Amino acid sequence: MTAALLLATAIAWPVVLTAAFMVRRLRAAVVVLAPTLALPALALGFAGEPALELQVPGLFTSMRLGVDGIGRAFLLLTALLWTCAVWHTASYMRADPRRRAFTGFLLATGTGNIGLTLVQDTLSFYLFFALMTFAAYGLVVHTRTADALRAGRVYIVMAVLGEALILAGLFGITALATDATFAAVPDAFAVMTRPGLVATVLLLGFGVKAGLVPLHLWLPLAHPVAPTPASALLSGAMIKAGVLGWLRFVPAGEMSFSAAGITAMTLGITATLAAAVAGTLQRDVKTVLAYSSISQMGFVATGFGAALLVPTAAPLMVLAVAVYAVHHALAKAALFLAIPVAEGSRRPLMLVTAALPGLVLAGAPFTSGAMAKAALKSALGGETWPVPVDLLLSVAAVGTTLLIARYVSLLALAPARIPATGSNRGGQSSRELTVGLVAPWALLVALSVVGALWLPWVLAPLGELPLATQPAYVAGALWPVALGVVLAGGALLLRRRYPAWTVPSVPAGDVLAVVERAARTLHSVGAPLARIAPGHAAARGWYWLEARTGAGLDRAAAAYDRAAAGPALGAIMVILAVLLFLALR
């Protein structure tokens, strides 16, 4: 098979499967074929030729397909995760009465996720990105419980906010670009009157998908309620689409974006530290992993922000960001898929194996995590920063180790003690360790643990990775992990010494939970005020504010319910898609 034919097959096969699923008579066959969704893309990634390009004339504004250096890295991680997760799904969802519907949403989401890694033009990227975003709603609300529907509402609101910001930024680019390809993006920024504003808008828009603080609110709510394979994909593959959006549409290295760079670094460092603290205080194993993803994406945002702030550091920073994206995707997916395996076997060897990708995330020496941190610190080392970024990132690595210790402690609990809002949802009530359940997890564990051996080959087109075997790098990678293990051991001893001592918890959704709690107290605060001084101006002012706020919220909720009605929303989206197609012919 020629490279061009393999490229066309890689994007056509997911589309064919998704379209065939729409035909009722073909659904049973499509469900059987679903694990092959990403196999052509996986083959393309391993045989990838960085200069490979293919044009599809007549489709929208002439779709361009291709595999470049950065695209190959994201294609490989995406295809690997989708192959393992869909394979895992066949066993995980075997007893679920809605497994076919779940498979349909999975195929549509995967088509979008794989497609956006293969295209080389702005419109095609956005179309596949939007398909992935909105199809993933079906994965989040699969169980139809109250918690799942609430998480779905938060997810879709944040998704629409992100899409609006992304469209605003892309309109700014395409209005000035000479063509629709990614290659024309830097030239469009060069002639903009406010390039920094467009860069910041795109940073925030794609930041919703990437879990950038404070746009991360959907992540800790969606992960616990979604079936475990969907959680693995949400955290491992789909949030990396936001990172790829940054790399494609914000030209790091071409010019300095001070505001966007400072914003990304500030939010990134905040995420690495705050999410680690919030994650260690969770009682749901999947919520712990959600906050771990937010913390790890903080490392990525910090590196990308540095590239925007100092263009000369961009090549090394982009390389570091790519390393982080690939190594985090594999390790985090392995950690999620370990949860149903742990429900079937809590043997010590299984728990130790499940913890290995966590050590990779923490940056243990001689792992891809150590390589990623070495690449990031090497890129940061050539500049003087207003804060000790190197030290802060090492402290965040301590937090990552504590997060993994918390994950293992929850994983070691009996299945009956794992919260019902966690890993038991969306699949079998009890786990039978089948090959389809264990093999994808074991494969991801193996790939994650030996990532330092094959990552340099994958990322060779982007540059040479720094050696993480030098004594300084080994020491720098070892002490945060060692300190985290010591602190986790100390916490365990304290827990045994004082069993009645309870650790405070942070509600999933953190900032959102605080806002919701404040809204619920709006009426109760006015009651004592009315009793003390019912006729006072302050009381009357409070009543006016409460009435206006409550009425506005009621109207907004009613409008949302009407707009979110399935047939109405579907009809609107179909009409818009047809008009867009006709306008671009």
Side-chain angles (χ1 to χ4, degrees):
M1 181 180 289
T2 65
L5 181 58
L6 185 58
L7 173 59
T9 305
I11 199 167
W13 181 238
V15 174
V16 169
L17 285 179
T18 304
F21 185 85
M22 303 300 174
V23 181
R24 186 179 297 273
R25 293 182 179 180
L26 299 178
R27 285 181 184 173
V30 172
V31 170
V32 174
L33 292 173
T36 67
L37 173 78
L39 287 182
L42 186 60
L44 178 65
F46 280 111
E49 301 177 17
L52 181 61
E53 289 188 7
L54 180 66
Q55 189 169 350
V56 186
L59 184 60
F60 295 109
T61 57
S62 185
M63 178 182 288
R64 292 171 173 84
L65 306 176
V67 180
D68 56 9
I70 194 69
R72 185 190 179 203
F74 280 82
L75 173 64
L76 268 174
L77 76 87
T78 301
L80 275 170
L81 293 194
W82 276 95
T83 299
C84 291
V86 180
W87 181 14
H88 181 94
T89 298
S91 295
Y92 182 86
M93 304 292 291
R94 184 172 54 191
D96 193 304
R98 289 193 293 269
R99 62 187 181 278
R100 284 194 178 181
F102 180 81
T103 302
F105 284 112
L106 204 65
L107 291 172
T109 307
T111 299
N113 200 179
I114 294 167
L116 64 87
T117 66
L118 292 171
V119 296
Q120 296 290 312
D121 64 283
T122 301
L123 177 61
S124 300
F125 184 95
Y126 177 74
L127 290 177
F128 281 112
F129 189 91
L131 173 62
M132 177 195 70
T133 296
F134 292 111
Y137 173 81
L139 306 180
V140 175
V141 301
H142 172 75
T143 60
R144 306 297 194 273
T145 62
D147 287 342
L149 294 176
R150 174 176 177 264
R153 287 194 296 271
V154 175
Y155 170 81
I156 204 67
V157 168
M158 297 300 297
V160 170
L161 172 63
E163 297 295 314
L165 292 172
I166 291 169
L167 277 175
L170 295 184
F171 284 153
I173 292 173
T174 54
L176 299 172
T178 54
D179 57 51
T181 63
F182 297 149
V185 171
D187 293 335
F189 271 92
V191 296
M192 287 181 185
T193 56
R194 294 183 178 179
L197 177 60
V198 176
T200 303
V201 167
L202 288 170
L203 175 74
L204 297 176
F206 287 113
V208 173
K209 188 65 65 198
L212 182 67
V213 171
L215 305 172
H216 67 289
L217 303 177
W218 65 274
L219 266 170
L221 297 177
H223 280 32
V225 298
T228 299
S231 298
L233 292 168
L234 283 168
S235 189
M238 282 183 264
I239 64 175
K240 304 307 183 299
V243 178
L244 183 58
W246 288 344
L247 296 173
R248 291 301 196 196
F249 297 108
V250 186
E254 300 293 333
M255 62 179 70
S256 177
F257 298 96
S258 299
I262 292 173
T263 299
M265 291 193 72
T266 301
L267 297 180
I269 292 174
T270 301
T272 59
L273 300 173
V277 173
T280 56
L281 299 178
Q282 298 300 317
R283 295 187 173 90
D284 184 296
V285 64
K286 291 172 74 176
T287 310
V288 170
L289 293 181
Y291 277 102
S292 172
S293 292
I294 296 167
S295 180
Q296 291 295 307
M297 287 301 99
F299 284 100
V300 174
T302 301
F304 188 69
L308 297 179
L309 200 57
V310 183
T312 55
L316 283 176
M317 288 297 181
V318 170
L319 177 61
V321 166
V323 177
Y324 256 103
V326 177
H327 108 90
H328 172 264
L330 295 176
K332 186 54 61 68
L335 290 170
F336 270 109
L337 295 190
I339 296 172
V341 177
E343 293 177 3
S345 171
R346 292 189 297 112
R347 296 174 182 175
L349 179 60
M350 195 287 304
L351 293 174
V352 171
T353 306
L356 290 178
L359 294 177
V360 175
L361 277 186
F366 310 111
T367 67
S368 60
M371 184 181 293
K373 288 180 172 58
L376 183 56
K377 291 181 179 181
S378 175
L380 289 169
E383 301 292 334
T384 301
W385 307 99
V387 294
V389 177
D390 191 6
L391 177 61
L392 290 175
L393 295 180
S394 295
V395 172
V398 177
T400 301
T401 307
L402 291 172
L403 275 171
I404 297 306
R406 179 62 172 163
Y407 162 81
V408 173
S409 68
L410 290 172
L411 206 62
L413 297 175
R417 294 181 61 191
I418 294 178
T421 56
S423 56
N424 279 336
R425 283 195 166 182
Q428 297 163 262
S429 57
S430 61
R431 298 294 173 203
E432 179 184 350
L433 293 184
T434 62
V435 172
L437 205 64
V438 176
W441 163 70
L443 176 60
L444 288 176
V445 170
L447 289 172
S448 176
V449 171
V450 301
L453 299 179
W454 57 268
L455 265 179
W457 169 72
V458 172
L459 299 169
L462 299 178
E464 185 177 354
L465 288 169
L467 293 176
T469 56
Q470 299 175 3
Y473 283 132
V474 173
L478 181 60
W479 77 260
V481 177
L483 179 56
V485 170
V486 170
L487 292 175
L492 180 61
L493 291 176
L494 284 174
R495 179 65 175 169
R496 290 182 176 179
R497 174 69 173 165
Y498 304 102
W501 179 54
T502 58
V503 180
S505 63
V506 174
D510 46 87
V511 176
L512 179 63
V514 172
V515 172
E516 289 177 336
R517 187 171 298 177
R520 286 194 298 267
T521 59
L522 183 64
H523 177 72
S524 61
V525 170
L529 181 62
R531 287 195 298 268
I532 295 172
H536 195 274
R540 293 196 300 271
W542 182 265
Y543 292 151
W544 180 89
L545 176 63
E546 181 184 1
R548 296 299 183 274
T549 305
L553 290 174
D554 290 342
R555 285 195 295 270
Y560 174 83
D561 290 339
R562 290 193 299 271
L569 183 59
I572 292 171
M573 293 182 68
V574 169
I575 292 171
L576 289 176
V578 171
L579 291 177
L580 180 62
F581 178 80
L582 293 175
L584 296 173
R585 288 290 293 174

